[in-house]
Amino acid sequence: MQKLHPLVKKVLFTKEEIESKTKEVTKEIEKYYSDKNMIDNSLLVLGLLKGCLPFFTNFCMNCDLTMEMEFMVVSSYKGTTMAETEPKILLDLQTDVRDRDILIVEDIIDTGATLKYVYDYLLDSGARSVKILTMLDKPSRRIADIQADWACFTIEPEFVIGYGLDYQEKIRNLPYVAICDTDKLKDWKW
Ligand code: IMP
Ligand code: MG
């Protein structure tokens, strides 16, 4: 086992646990889409950068559906642990989503503000269907009216790091999801 990062208070899910759960959920998603009549028989998988990356890759590599990959960057956190109120699109879709079946892949749903914004944007742009897959769900913090169709793990309202989740844009590369030791953040130096 790799040395734990000093900001880790407690590891919640190891790489192996995340990968095994992702496989299970992927099977459900394959079953759900296998009889849908999609354009080019192809699902449009939309990753919300940057946090989705490790989970997105893990899901896509395990999934047998024909898929196209798209990405968006939507701002939410600005290097702190507080969400901004109004999300902003920083990188938009590179393809026409009209009549497409879209699966959004997220790292975590917290207040849901970011996701709700993207969800409405996709439907307004003419998507035929929009479903949501998330690695982590923090339902107790939800403000926006949105929920995941598939969630790998439900967690308590704590600030988590690793497997795509950052603190000040760093440590997304930790191969596990951990609760952050927030007491250390006050005078934390990289
Ligand atoms: P929401 O709009 O409040 O649901 O926040 C969505 C985004 O905030 C997620 O996609 C993450 O990028 C980020 N975020 C939310 N909670 C955490 C956390 O506990 N650790 C790190 N990033 C988080
Ligand atoms: Mg995210």
Side-chain angles (χ1 to χ4, degrees):
M1 175 87 181
Q2 203 170 323
K3 215 172 85 192
L4 288 181
H5 192 276
L7 281 179
V8 169
K9 188 170 179 186
K10 183 182 171 216
V11 173
L12 286 180
F13 309 109
T14 63
K15 185 169 179 284
E16 291 69 29
E17 285 166 333
I18 298 166
E19 286 174 0
S20 140
K21 186 69 193 179
T22 306
K23 273 198 184 123
E24 255 176 56
V25 174
T26 304
K27 292 296 147 220
E28 289 174 30
I29 293 174
E30 283 172 358
K31 210 157 126 221
Y32 175 82
Y33 282 107
S34 56
D35 59 348
K36 294 270 175 295
N37 216 0
M38 299 189 280
I39 291 184
D40 286 342
N41 287 319
S42 163
L43 179 66
L44 201 147
V45 184
L46 172 63
L48 300 186
L49 294 174
K50 307 164 200 166
C52 76
L53 271 179
F55 179 62
F56 182 94
T57 309
N58 192 7
F59 163 73
C60 292
M61 296 293 213
N62 273 293
C63 185
D64 284 332
L65 297 165
T66 303
M67 63 172 71
E68 291 173 27
M69 296 177 186
E70 276 290 320
F71 298 97
M72 286 177 78
V73 177
V74 185
S75 69
S76 54
Y77 279 68
K78 273 266 163 68
T80 69
T81 58
M82 294 289 289
E84 282 179 272
T85 40
E86 174 74 355
K88 260 198 264 9
I89 296 178
L90 304 179
L91 173 76
D92 208 342
L93 296 160
Q94 308 293 305
T95 193
D96 186 357
V97 297
R98 233 170 310 155
D99 300 324
R100 298 301 305 266
D101 292 280
I102 302 176
L103 176 66
I104 302 176
V105 179
E106 255 290 37
D107 48 0
I108 188 165
I109 313 178
D110 188 28
T111 67
T114 318
L115 195 55
K116 172 72 176 151
Y117 183 77
V118 173
Y119 182 87
D120 290 346
Y121 174 74
L122 295 172
L123 287 177
D124 289 348
S125 308
R128 183 172 83 152
S129 73
V130 182
K131 293 279 173 190
I132 296 161
L133 163 66
T134 188
M135 174 173 71
L136 303 174
D137 193 4
K138 272 191 212 170
S140 54
R141 298 238 326 147
R142 201 63 36 84
I143 293 167
D145 178 22
I146 191 102
Q147 66 224 9
D149 295 283
W150 297 278
C152 290
F153 305 101
T154 299
I155 62 167
E156 296 299 314
E158 268 158 316
F159 189 69
V160 286
I161 47 175
Y163 216 90
L165 295 150
D166 69 302
Y167 173 62
Q168 294 184 339
E169 290 298 329
K170 296 175 179 63
I171 54 177
R172 295 186 194 274
N173 57 309
L174 304 180
Y176 46 79
V177 170
I179 296 175
C180 181
D181 189 345
T182 46
D183 292 343
K184 288 188 183 165
L185 296 182
K186 290 190 293 298
D187 36 28
W188 179 257
K189 298 247 178 350
W190 293 108

